[in-house]
Amino acid sequence: MSAAPRRYGVNMRCLAARVNYKTLIIICALFTLVTVLLWNRCSSDRAGPFPRSLASLERRAAAASESDPARQQSEEASPQEQQKAPPVAGGFNGNKAPGLKYEEIDCLINDEHTVKGRREGNEVFLPFSWVEKYFEVYGKIAQYDGYDRFEFSHSYSKVYTQRAPYHPDGVFMSFEGYNVEVRDRVKCISGVEGVPLSTQWGPQGYFYPIQIAQYGLSHYSKNLTEKPPHIEVYETAEEKDKTSRSVDWTVPKGCSLSTVSDKAKFTSVKQFVAPENTEGVSLQLGNTRDFIISFDLKFITNGSVSVVLETTEKNQLFTVHYVSNTQLIAFKDRDIYYGIGPRTSWSTLTRDLVTDLRKGVGLSNTKAVKQTKIMPKRVVRLVAKGRGFLDNITISATAHMAAFFAASNWLVRNQDERGGWPIMVTRKLGEGFKSLDPGWYSAMAQGQAISTLVRAYLLTKDHTFLSSALRATAPYKLPSEQRGVKAVFMNRHDWYEEYPTSPSSFVLNGFMYSLIGLYDLKETAGEKLGKEARVLYERGMESLKAMLPLYDTGSGTIYDLRHFMLGTAPNLARWDYHTTHINQLQLLSTIDESPIFKEFVKRWKSYLRGGRAKHN
């Protein structure tokens, strides 16, 4: 073969090799492109479209079933993941089952309106903001150990464990958890009376015996359940008292301070003279731990005792003035004023500086005290002006018994000749009921006042308290139209009205409180003195057992029987009233063995978790 054909064959083979090499490169490039496109398509399928209008679903949840409280919290967190690990809000870990895809879907509600939902396969999720309003359920996102999870609840109120058995000298229900003075419908704690002033039904403020009794019972119960408080003693005027810290008084020019013997107290006291136009005599306190101040006080002339507080409000100083007048409360600049009365004989003034500061700063002309974040950081000093005497200056963590006896003594002083505590404000219970004019009595007030007075008697053995409690049974025997609190249901069952309306309203929780008061009295007063209370109690308990089923809706309870008396829609009890009903029945079940109480407690507890009576 010649050289030319050989060269031609070699060139053709080289050309073929180059062509095959280029083809291979192109094929590889095309394969890579297809792979990337498929990968992106799969990734987009896995993520799925997420409607902007439902972005808030990351902060909400929808139920997959009533028995499974797990909630979908983000577009990436699948039910499978939530079963394997604590629910996570946000984040994508690539474990989503292939083929599942979120889609927006219109949800037609009762053929009336549409809301935007989200579908994942056969599951449909509704926004929790809609679920919450429609079903009146509750939920929030909470974090534990770095994980976000959604907490769902059918109700918002809790049932307390009953201390069994109940005793008249023990804790009153779950009142150790009550903080009456911080309620926004409490205007302040009166400096003259030492008890709360209510604005529940009027911004002017009035003394509401139910609130005052609850104030006393809550502090009595706290005293039984809390540790003894830390107490710092600042002044006793006794040199031999080693428990007091070194006394640091400042006496400016024109003022005087001396230690004198007081015959009425049989001890030494501090006498001060400080004209109003001076800075006053002052005692350095510097307490950053506790904020309940107490001191014995006697004025010779008009005067004041002021407490200077360093606060969380940019460390500003606020001063709470306790003045020898009858002004309720005033606030100007950074000065808060409470009238404490003339105080011309020895008395002990005990004040919660946290409450006094916040009620002053939050003072308003409306029913509710304005919310404020201000808090005291340090009790700086006490300043006295005028002429008078001081003794036993202390600061403590709590002073529960002082509050309890303030309430007990107020009840004794303010009981009228008919044995009741008149409520001096107009009350309109609802459409169809006649208004209650000022001066009406409440069986709930009578009952809780009796429970307070019985405890004061058991502590002190002072018959003043027991006599007041015994007189308090009189309104139980008189019908509403005769200014009593008694009603009769269906001409058969005696009932003691929280609101003695016309027509009768039959409020359940107030009735049970009235029965607890009667129980406390009959158990304490004995067979002879307690006979009337025992008869009233037994009649009331018979009515309660007969009428209790009328308050059961099959999914909750009813506040009163207006639907029966007026023919209106039922007045359903809020969850906090529902749990009050349960707590009251739990207490009664420890003093009465009738099975009806335990049966209703069990059923009504189930309603808190979504339980319902069976259908036909």
Side-chain angles (χ1 to χ4, degrees):
M1 182 180 290
S2 66
R6 284 197 302 269
R7 284 195 302 272
Y8 176 77
V10 171
N11 290 339
M12 288 300 293
R13 286 194 298 272
C14 290
L15 179 61
R18 285 197 297 272
V19 171
N20 291 338
Y21 180 70
K22 290 180 179 178
T23 302
L24 183 61
I25 292 174
I26 292 171
I27 291 171
C28 290
L30 289 173
F31 179 78
T32 301
L33 179 61
V34 169
T35 301
V36 170
L37 290 174
L38 288 173
W39 177 266
N40 289 339
R41 176 63 181 273
C42 291
S43 298
S44 64
D45 284 346
R46 289 161 69 117
F50 183 54
R52 299 171 68 90
S53 63
L54 293 180
S56 62
L57 280 171
E58 290 188 356
R59 302 183 301 274
R60 303 168 185 162
S65 68
E66 184 176 349
S67 62
D68 184 2
R71 298 293 181 265
Q72 197 73 22
Q73 298 196 27
S74 74
E75 65 184 74
E76 293 88 2
S78 71
Q80 291 82 356
E81 293 165 342
Q82 291 178 342
Q83 291 167 7
K84 293 178 181 177
V88 179
F92 170 58
N93 60 15
N95 291 332
K96 188 172 175 67
L100 289 180
K101 178 179 176 181
Y102 293 130
E103 297 175 344
E104 185 175 310
I105 186 171
D106 287 339
C107 300
L108 182 60
I109 309 299
N110 297 327
D111 288 328
E112 293 176 348
H113 62 279
T114 300
V115 298
K116 293 293 184 181
R118 195 169 68 179
R119 182 170 67 184
E120 178 190 341
N122 292 326
E123 289 283 6
V124 174
F125 299 89
L126 289 167
F128 186 72
S129 58
W130 179 85
V131 173
E132 184 176 34
K133 292 178 182 178
Y134 189 85
F135 293 102
E136 294 186 14
V137 292
Y138 309 90
K140 64 180 180 179
I141 289 180
Q143 190 174 77
Y144 301 94
D145 302 325
Y147 291 102
D148 283 348
R149 67 187 70 199
F150 190 81
E151 293 181 343
F152 173 87
S153 178
H154 188 78
S155 61
Y156 61 79
S157 192
K158 305 298 181 185
V159 175
Y160 291 90
T161 302
Q162 171 62 35
R163 296 172 177 84
Y166 172 79
H167 294 290
D169 62 348
V171 172
F172 187 82
M173 284 186 49
S174 58
F175 273 38
E176 74 276 12
Y178 278 35
N179 294 292
V180 175
E181 51 267 52
V182 306
R183 296 172 183 172
D184 62 2
R185 297 297 178 91
V186 169
K187 192 178 189 76
C188 65
I189 303 299
S190 166
V192 175
E193 301 287 352
V195 296
L197 198 80
S198 177
T199 57
Q200 187 165 344
W201 299 315
Q204 76 280 3
Y206 56 93
F207 291 112
Y208 187 31
I210 289 177
Q211 199 172 74
I212 292 168
Q214 290 183 354
Y215 177 69
L217 290 168
S218 69
H219 282 284
Y220 179 91
S221 300
K222 289 175 189 291
N223 186 65
L224 292 178
T225 55
E226 295 179 2
K227 294 179 180 178
H230 172 263
I231 301 175
E232 195 77 47
V233 180
Y234 289 89
E235 178 62 85
T236 64
E238 295 287 341
E239 292 183 3
K240 62 182 180 180
D241 190 350
K242 303 299 182 181
T243 62
S244 61
R245 52 166 53 202
S246 60
V247 179
D248 188 9
W249 284 96
T250 300
V251 184
K253 186 177 181 180
C255 303
S256 67
L257 181 72
S258 58
T259 301
V260 300
S261 178
D262 187 274
K263 295 181 180 179
K265 288 175 65 70
F266 301 103
T267 185
S268 296
V269 299
K270 286 294 184 183
Q271 181 175 15
F272 62 89
V273 177
E276 187 64 32
N277 60 357
T278 66
E279 294 179 358
V281 299
S282 62
L283 173 64
Q284 293 299 313
L285 301 173
N287 196 314
T288 60
R289 173 175 174 172
D290 302 316
F291 297 98
I292 306 291
I293 193 164
S294 181
F295 48 86
D296 297 341
L297 174 66
K298 176 183 175 181
F299 280 123
I300 300 175
T301 64
N302 290 335
S304 65
V305 176
S306 304
V307 181
V308 180
L309 301 171
E310 181 184 337
T311 68
T312 55
E313 186 69 24
K314 301 178 181 178
N315 295 327
Q316 290 181 336
L317 298 180
F318 282 70
T319 304
V320 184
H321 305 272
Y322 302 105
V323 188
S324 61
N325 60 32
T326 56
Q327 182 181 34
L328 179 62
I329 182 174
F331 176 53
K332 183 178 180 182
D333 298 328
R334 293 196 296 274
D335 291 287
I336 301 161
Y337 300 87
Y338 289 89
I340 59 172
R343 303 273 173 167
T344 53
S345 58
W346 279 108
S347 63
T348 300
L349 185 68
T350 302
R351 302 298 296 185
D352 183 338
L353 296 171
V354 175
T355 299
D356 285 350
L357 172 68
R358 290 169 64 85
K359 295 295 183 182
V361 174
L363 188 63
S364 73
N365 294 321
T366 64
K367 290 183 180 180
V369 175
K370 290 185 293 187
Q371 295 295 314
T372 176
K373 294 182 179 179
I374 192 170
M375 291 288 288
K377 289 175 59 179
R378 182 165 65 101
V379 186
V380 180
R381 61 183 175 272
L382 176 147
V383 181
K385 291 185 179 182
R387 294 180 60 197
F389 304 91
L390 280 168
D391 195 19
N392 297 327
I393 301 172
T394 66
I395 293 179
S396 60
T398 60
H400 294 313
M401 295 315 290
F404 169 71
F405 280 112
S408 302
N409 290 324
W410 185 93
L411 291 169
V412 170
R413 290 194 306 269
N414 290 274
Q415 188 178 32
D416 68 10
E417 69 282 355
R418 298 167 64 91
W421 289 273
I423 299 169
M424 304 309 295
V425 65
T426 300
R427 176 69 169 122
K428 178 72 171 177
L429 185 59
E431 194 65 35
F433 292 111
K434 293 181 181 179
S435 294
L436 295 170
D437 295 327
W440 54 280
Y441 301 126
S442 167
M444 178 171 169
Q446 299 298 120
Q448 292 193 335
I450 290 172
S451 293
T452 306
L453 292 166
V454 162
R455 284 163 170 78
Y457 167 72
L458 290 171
L459 278 174
T460 65
K461 301 304 178 184
D462 184 344
H463 279 268
T464 302
F465 295 118
L466 182 59
S467 296
S468 179
L470 289 167
R471 289 195 302 274
T473 60
Y476 283 80
K477 297 178 289 184
L478 294 175
S480 302
E481 53 269 22
Q482 297 180 26
R483 286 198 65 205
V485 298
K486 180 182 174 182
V488 182
F489 184 74
M490 300 291 288
N491 299 316
R492 183 175 180 181
H493 300 295
D494 287 358
W495 191 274
Y496 312 125
E497 292 271 65
E498 178 178 349
Y499 303 107
T501 54
S502 179
S504 300
S505 44
F506 301 102
V507 175
L508 179 59
N509 83 94
F511 177 56
M512 287 195 279
Y513 278 129
S514 77
L515 294 178
I516 296 169
L518 290 172
Y519 175 82
D520 287 344
L521 183 56
K522 82 176 184 69
E523 290 293 299
T524 303
E527 186 68 27
K528 184 176 180 180
L529 289 176
K531 181 179 179 181
E532 193 169 74
R534 176 174 54 80
V535 171
L536 292 168
Y537 170 77
E538 290 174 353
R539 288 177 181 171
M541 288 293 278
E542 289 175 5
S543 299
L544 179 63
K545 294 170 188 176
M547 296 173 61
L548 205 52
L550 300 179
Y551 294 86
D552 192 328
T553 69
S555 59
T557 51
I558 296 174
Y559 179 79
D560 56 29
L561 295 184
R562 68 182 63 189
H563 59 294
F564 184 87
M565 302 303 297
L566 298 173
T568 62
N571 185 22
L572 301 181
R574 300 195 309 258
W575 286 120
D576 49 347
Y577 277 104
H578 179 74
T579 52
T580 295
H581 294 158
I582 297 172
N583 290 329
Q584 291 172 316
L585 290 180
Q586 285 188 153
L587 183 154
L588 293 174
S589 72
T590 71
I591 59 179
D592 189 302
E593 296 180 352
S594 300
I596 186 173
F597 295 131
K598 289 184 172 64
E599 291 170 2
F600 272 76
V601 164
K602 182 179 180 181
R603 183 158 70 246
W604 287 3
K605 277 185 177 180
S606 73
Y607 296 161
L608 293 169
R609 302 183 299 274
R612 292 177 180 271
K614 293 181 179 180
H615 293 287
N616 57 8

